[in-house]
Amino acid sequence: TRCLSDWSSDVCSSDRLIQCIQDGIELAVQQGCEILTLGAHTSIVSRDGMALLPPPGLRLTTGNTLTVAVGVNRILQACAECSMRGEEPSVIAIIGATGNIGSALTRHLFCQEHPFTRAILVARDRRRLQSLADALAKISPGMTIQIATDLTAVRDADFIAITTGTNEPLLYPHHVRSAGTVVVADISAPEAISPLARKLENLRVIPLAGAVALPGEADFVMASHIPQGTAFCCAAEAMLLGLADRKSVV
C-alpha cells in the first residue's frame, strides 16, 4: 500500500520508484515466485531492469524478447498480406527506434528478408539515432536510412511501427499520408494511435501487434484495453519461461 501511494504521487522520484519495484520483487520471492517479468512501465522506470537486483534463484525478464519477436513476425506477415493484394509497402517508419524494444526490433527486422527500400528512424536523441542508422547500414547496405526527431517525418511512410512507452497517443491524422494504404503496427501499451487516426479510411492497424492469444484460455482477462483471451507479450514471456523445462532455458 505504501508503494502504491508513492506510485500515484506526482513528486515521486525515480529512485523511489525503483525501490518500490525492488520491494515488489523481494515480496514476490517471499511468496515463492521463481520467474518475474517487468510489466507496465516498470521496465522503463528501472532502466530495462538494470537498476534492479534479483534475489538468488529468481529469473527476471523485461519481456522485451518475445515482444520484439512477435512484433517482427506481425510486421512481416502484414507485408506478405499487402503483397498478395498488390500493395507491398516500401517505406517503413519506426517511432521510438532507439528504445530497448525499438532498436532490437529494427535490427531484427532488417536481418530478415523484407520488402522495405527505405527506413525512417524516429526518436528524440539524434546521436543515438545516428548510431543505430550506422549499424543498420552494415546490416542492410542497400536500404536508404533516414533519421528524424520530428514525427511529421512519418508522413512519407506506408508502414509505421510504434514502439514507445508513452501514456498518450502519438499518431494523429496529420502524421498519416493521405494517398494509399498505410499499415500500422502499434507495439506500445497503452496504444499510441489516436482515436481520430483510427477513423482514417486508408489506415490499417495490425491486431495484436504487441500481444498474443492464449491457447485454451478464451476467458482470460489481463487488461481492459486488450481483447479477452490475450496477454501482453511481456507477460506471455514469463508464462513461457514458467512452462519451459528449466534445463532448456539459458
Side-chain angles (χ1 to χ4, degrees):
T1 303
R2 173 171 54 83
C3 281
L4 185 60
S5 64
D6 284 344
W7 271 94
S8 62
S9 173
D10 292 336
V11 297
C12 184
S13 68
S14 60
D15 288 347
R16 182 65 191 131
L17 290 176
I18 291 171
Q19 186 58 55
C20 283
I21 299 170
Q22 183 69 42
D23 291 345
I25 290 173
E26 294 174 2
L27 177 61
V29 171
Q30 292 173 16
Q31 298 297 318
C33 178
E34 297 179 351
I35 300 169
L36 189 145
T37 188
L38 297 172
H41 285 179
T42 55
S43 175
I44 299 171
V45 170
S46 63
R47 306 183 192 101
D48 298 314
M50 298 303 294
L52 303 171
L53 180 63
L58 178 73
R59 286 183 284 174
L60 180 65
T61 174
T62 62
N64 290 351
T65 300
L66 185 61
T67 302
V68 168
V70 170
V72 169
N73 187 55
R74 296 276 196 267
I75 290 172
L76 294 177
Q77 282 182 339
C79 289
E81 292 171 5
C82 289
S83 179
M84 292 175 64
R85 296 193 300 269
E87 301 175 343
E88 187 168 73
S90 61
V91 181
I92 183 171
I94 301 175
I95 302 174
T98 59
N100 187 284
I101 292 176
S103 60
L105 180 139
T106 302
R107 293 169 188 267
H108 186 47
L109 174 62
F110 295 130
C111 283
Q112 318 292 316
E113 183 178 347
H114 61 82
F116 303 110
T117 58
R118 178 183 169 200
I120 305 169
L121 309 179
V122 183
R124 290 176 293 185
D125 190 321
R126 183 167 289 275
R127 181 184 60 81
R128 294 176 65 188
L129 279 169
Q130 189 59 59
S131 177
L132 178 59
D134 292 343
L136 292 181
K138 298 177 182 177
I139 296 173
S140 191
M143 187 169 58
T144 300
I145 302 170
Q146 173 188 344
I147 63 173
T149 56
D150 190 335
L151 276 174
T152 57
V154 307
R155 280 188 62 87
D156 291 338
D158 48 17
F159 201 114
I160 302 172
I162 312 175
T163 62
T164 61
T166 179
N167 280 323
E168 299 178 353
L170 289 176
L171 193 71
Y172 288 88
H174 57 272
H175 294 130
V176 180
R177 72 180 194 179
S178 57
T181 301
V182 177
V183 183
V184 178
D186 187 2
I187 305 173
S188 308
E191 65 180 31
I193 306 173
S194 72
L196 286 176
R198 278 190 172 272
K199 294 180 181 180
L200 295 174
E201 293 184 359
N202 67 321
L203 192 73
R204 176 173 170 259
V205 180
I206 300 175
L208 298 179
V212 292
L214 300 179
E217 298 291 342
D219 296 331
F220 180 82
V221 177
M222 170 159 281
S224 60
H225 50 287
I226 60 171
Q228 185 171 303
T230 67
F232 291 120
C233 289
C234 56
E237 182 170 308
M239 296 177 190
L240 289 173
L241 289 172
L243 292 170
D245 183 350
R246 180 177 288 270
K247 293 180 181 179
S248 68
V249 179
V250 178

